[in-house]
Amino acid sequence: MNDLVRQHTALSDTDLEWLHLLVSEWQLLSDLSFADLVLWVPTRDGTRYVSVAQMRPNTGPTSYQDDMVGHLVPRGRRPLLDAALDEGRIVREGDPEWREEVPVRVESIPVRREGRVLGVIARNTNLLTVRTPSRLELTYLQSASDLAQMIAAGSFPFPGQQVDMDASPRVGDGMIRLDADGVVQYASPNGLSAYHRLGLASDLVGQHLGQITTDLAPSKGPVDEAMVKLASGYAPRETEVEGNDGVIQLRAIPLSPKGTRIGSLVLLRDVTELRRRERELITKDATIREIHHRVKNNLQTVAALLRLQARRMDSNRGKDALNEAVRRVGSIAIVHETLSQNLDERVEFDEIADRVIAMVSEISPGKIDCRRTGRFGILDAEVATPLSMVLTEVLQNALEHAFAPGDLGAVEVSAVRGGRGADSRLLITVRDDGRGLPPGFDAQTAGNLGLQIVRTLVEGELGGSFDMVPAPDRGTQVVLDIPVPDK
């Protein structure tokens, strides 16, 4: 819609925002009218109309099989559009049109903002299935007529009330029509069922909705006056009401077709099961985070015991082995600590990589600059845990074997993500400028424990590849290629 409006019309950005607000709401008008809606806006030179948005009803058959967005129509071809735009009134005159052997009633509703008509909504009703309307359908049509008059007067949609139509109740979920005093005139079967879920044992018609809602879902302490006003439809608001182990979502829409409030439309939906599942997920997430927190604490306890054991050993080789084990346990603990702070089993690995680099740098024999370039991005826990161990082993190996005590040097960890979807991969390069590899060295057959761990984790758990080769200028580089499919 933005592109069409800016390309073909002279509307300002604030006008465009109003049209977006209208389009976010007009599923309501389409469903109440049992009709398709097409928004036509006059072009910059005033000789044509361009259709910038379209909506089909959920409550009846469509009048348009094709997408109308982007169509241009010369002025004069559709007299109802011209009349609504020029006269600023709802136009219903004319006989039904026939489209592919289907009779269609066409009406035009001007879209007004601050006294100016920005465009026209063409309301198209498929008459093929017309029958004697029920009380529900009559209430729908009357409510649609009231909303159409408010659109033509510029009083609907409500400024500052952007609605998420995916989350808000819809017409078919449940509808209650109130008079100006907040007394129920009509309640749809779904609307009545929702209130039965709250514990209502009688009919709704004739009762004050705000008062009965407060009685069914009492707040703690004094009567909630805001709840009474909201359920009575005095202002455009949305809330949830909980009572009798049931939860319903309410949305109030005041109706003032001629400038004076004549009543309200209340849309409602029973969201009891949805909220129950959400609470279960929240409980599950909290449990998982607590498990990660406890695992992290246990791993830190293990690391502390290993560190204590290392201090008591006389053998330098034994101390070094235990200190390596401390760093391996520590790298896993870092991942679990990060997971304990997240809502899902995915982590931002750049932070983990930086902490692993800082931890391993403590064993540096000289003044070695360890740094990271590029981004690892967000990774699943099943990838992050073994990858943190791999990174620990590779960095340990570089710092222990590439440099002598007192050396100056650098170790760079580079991360590059490429590909998309199932083909997404992570290329990691750890490069040092140290003494290089010994003659005849083969990373695939080397017996070093750290390299054996790297090979096992990269090829076995991560399904990637690992190689250690001389760096182009000086030193050694380790290359890891790991699949990280996007989800």
Side-chain angles (χ1 to χ4, degrees):
M1 186 166 72
N2 289 349
D3 293 341
L4 288 170
V5 169
R6 288 169 178 155
Q7 179 182 353
H8 294 287
T9 79
L11 296 182
S12 65
D13 287 343
T14 52
D15 292 333
L16 180 56
E17 288 178 11
W18 183 262
L19 295 184
H20 273 293
L21 190 60
L22 172 66
V23 168
S24 74
E25 292 272 27
W26 71 343
Q27 180 74 62
L28 173 62
L29 177 62
S30 178
D31 290 345
L32 289 171
S33 303
F34 309 97
D36 290 76
L37 306 178
V38 180
L39 178 57
W40 296 93
V41 180
T43 57
R44 191 174 288 105
D45 57 11
T47 62
R48 296 180 295 176
Y49 298 96
V50 58
S51 59
V52 299
Q54 179 178 1
M55 178 58 66
R56 292 184 172 89
N58 293 318
T59 52
T62 183
S63 302
Y64 286 111
Q65 298 300 324
D66 300 326
D67 189 356
M68 295 296 296
V69 176
H71 283 218
L72 290 164
V73 174
R75 186 177 171 88
R77 180 175 294 181
R78 300 194 176 185
L80 296 186
L81 294 182
D82 298 338
L85 183 69
D86 297 339
E87 301 172 23
R89 66 180 180 90
I90 298 174
V91 182
R92 296 190 175 94
E93 299 86 355
D95 297 326
E97 297 180 3
W98 286 83
R99 300 175 187 163
E100 299 179 356
E101 301 183 354
V102 175
V104 177
R105 182 175 63 241
V106 181
E107 304 167 85
S108 295
I109 305 168
V111 177
R112 193 184 302 273
R113 174 181 175 268
E114 297 182 350
R116 295 183 302 113
V117 177
L118 307 182
V120 179
I121 294 175
R123 181 163 55 177
N124 304 268
T125 307
N126 187 325
L127 300 177
L128 197 61
T129 59
V130 169
R131 63 186 187 280
T132 302
S134 65
R135 177 74 189 282
L136 179 143
E137 291 168 330
L138 288 172
T139 305
Y140 275 21
L141 292 172
Q142 181 58 55
S143 301
S145 176
D146 294 336
L147 284 176
Q149 292 182 59
M150 291 170 65
I151 292 172
S155 57
F156 186 83
F158 304 108
Q161 293 289 322
Q162 189 78 31
V163 175
D164 182 0
M165 290 308 298
D166 291 332
S168 292
R170 299 196 178 193
V171 171
D173 296 327
M175 189 197 80
I176 296 174
R177 176 80 186 227
L178 308 178
D179 65 13
D181 296 322
V183 176
V184 178
Q185 293 179 310
Y186 175 79
S188 71
N190 284 346
L192 184 58
S193 295
Y195 266 81
H196 285 165
R197 187 69 178 261
L198 289 181
L200 179 69
S202 61
D203 196 2
L204 273 172
V205 175
Q207 303 204 54
H208 190 279
L209 189 66
Q211 189 58 56
I212 199 170
T213 301
T214 305
D215 292 341
L216 292 171
S219 59
K220 296 179 180 178
V223 174
D224 189 346
E225 295 296 333
M227 175 66 73
V228 174
K229 290 184 177 180
L230 188 148
S232 301
Y234 290 114
R237 294 286 187 272
E238 190 168 326
T239 191
E240 286 188 2
V241 178
E242 185 169 356
N244 194 40
D245 295 329
V247 184
I248 62 172
Q249 187 178 12
L250 291 178
R251 183 190 174 201
I253 303 168
L255 298 175
S256 52
K258 296 181 180 179
T260 302
R261 195 174 72 85
I262 63 168
S264 306
L265 200 61
V266 177
L267 303 181
L268 62 159
R269 177 172 55 184
D270 184 350
V271 293
T272 305
E273 293 304 315
L274 179 63
R275 295 296 175 259
R276 183 183 61 79
R277 289 195 295 269
E278 287 179 352
R279 287 166 184 163
E280 288 178 352
L281 288 174
I282 290 172
T283 302
K284 178 182 176 183
D285 289 340
T287 302
I288 291 173
R289 291 200 301 273
E290 178 61 21
I291 290 172
H292 283 303
H293 180 71
R294 293 188 182 189
V295 170
K296 182 263 297 184
N297 288 344
N298 290 338
L299 288 172
Q300 288 180 337
T301 300
V302 172
L305 292 173
L306 291 173
R307 197 177 293 111
L308 182 63
Q309 185 67 40
R311 292 196 190 104
R312 293 175 174 269
M313 292 196 70
D314 296 329
S315 168
N316 289 332
R317 291 187 62 186
K319 286 183 178 181
D320 291 343
L322 287 175
N323 285 328
E324 285 183 7
V326 168
R327 287 187 285 275
R328 288 167 186 151
V329 172
S331 67
I332 301 174
I334 290 172
V335 176
H336 282 282
E337 181 180 3
T338 305
L339 287 169
S340 70
Q341 300 167 359
N342 290 351
L343 294 176
D344 55 20
E345 291 290 287
R346 292 168 66 79
V347 294
E348 176 63 64
F349 196 81
D350 294 325
E351 178 186 349
I352 293 174
D354 291 341
R355 293 180 63 181
V356 167
I357 291 171
M359 178 182 68
V360 179
S361 296
E362 296 174 359
I363 68 167
S364 172
K367 295 183 179 180
I368 311 301
D369 177 27
C370 295
R371 59 182 179 271
R372 171 180 63 86
T373 61
R375 293 192 69 250
F376 288 85
I378 296 175
L379 299 177
D380 291 335
E382 62 217 32
V383 174
T385 302
L387 184 57
S388 67
M389 285 195 65
V390 167
L391 193 57
T392 300
E393 296 299 332
V394 171
L395 287 169
Q396 258 184 197
N397 191 72
L399 291 173
E400 287 181 355
H401 301 292
F403 304 100
D407 281 355
L408 298 175
V411 177
E412 181 183 70
V413 179
S414 168
V416 178
R417 291 187 77 152
R420 290 184 177 180
D423 297 325
S424 178
R425 303 190 74 82
L426 175 61
L427 183 66
I428 305 167
T429 305
V430 181
R431 180 180 303 165
D432 67 67
D433 58 0
R435 66 186 67 167
L437 296 172
F441 179 84
D442 183 359
Q444 302 304 321
T445 59
N448 179 290
L449 176 60
L451 294 182
Q452 288 181 7
I453 292 174
V454 171
R455 281 199 304 270
T456 301
L457 292 176
V458 172
E459 297 173 1
E461 288 199 33
L462 297 174
S465 61
F466 155 73
D467 199 8
M468 179 182 283
V469 296
D473 300 324
R474 177 189 174 188
T476 305
Q477 70 178 19
V478 175
V479 180
L480 309 170
D481 187 0
I482 299 169
V484 285
D486 293 331
K487 294 185 177 178

